[in-house]
Amino acid sequence: MPFILVGSVAIGNFSDHPAPPAIINGLGECVRYMREFFGRDLPINGHGQWADPRAPSSCPGQIRNQIAEITAAAELQEEDDMFTDADRQQLKDVHEW
């Protein structure tokens, strides 16, 4: 399987202030959805960790210090399964993951 990079975006400047709970919970929901879609755990990294070293980025700012909160939000939300077995099979059939 080829390398696939999937991401979500938090709009704002988090260099000076941490992200508010709504952003953390939203990112947690995105992580939960992607884990469910791909059927496995996925690493959570900021753009600065994936950026080309020739074009460094301070992104995601202070969200970098909130990764544990995002992970906790994703795990909390996993209790409410969003896909049925039929949904999962359809996703696998369509995307052949």
Side-chain angles (χ1 to χ4, degrees):
M1 179 187 298
F3 180 76
I4 299 172
L5 181 62
V6 179
S8 58
V9 177
I11 303 298
N13 181 346
F14 306 108
S15 294
D16 297 326
H17 306 284
I23 297 251
I24 297 302
N25 291 332
L27 290 170
E29 178 71 14
C30 289
V31 168
R32 182 184 73 79
Y33 174 81
M34 287 186 270
R35 285 177 177 169
E36 183 75 19
F37 181 85
F38 289 105
R40 60 189 168 120
D41 195 18
L42 301 169
I44 302 174
N45 293 304
H47 173 245
Q49 293 166 292
W50 297 104
D52 184 330
R54 296 169 294 181
S57 170
S58 64
C59 186
Q62 291 195 24
I63 291 179
R64 179 181 298 106
N65 302 324
Q66 295 176 283
I67 298 296
E69 292 174 57
I70 295 168
T71 301
E75 290 169 357
L76 191 78
Q77 294 168 10
E78 283 176 4
E79 295 173 4
D80 181 25
D81 193 6
M82 69 187 311
F83 291 118
T84 66
D85 289 338
D87 293 332
R88 285 187 197 90
Q89 186 59 51
Q90 185 177 14
L91 287 168
K92 288 179 182 177
D93 292 344
V94 171
H95 298 286
E96 297 181 22
W97 294 110

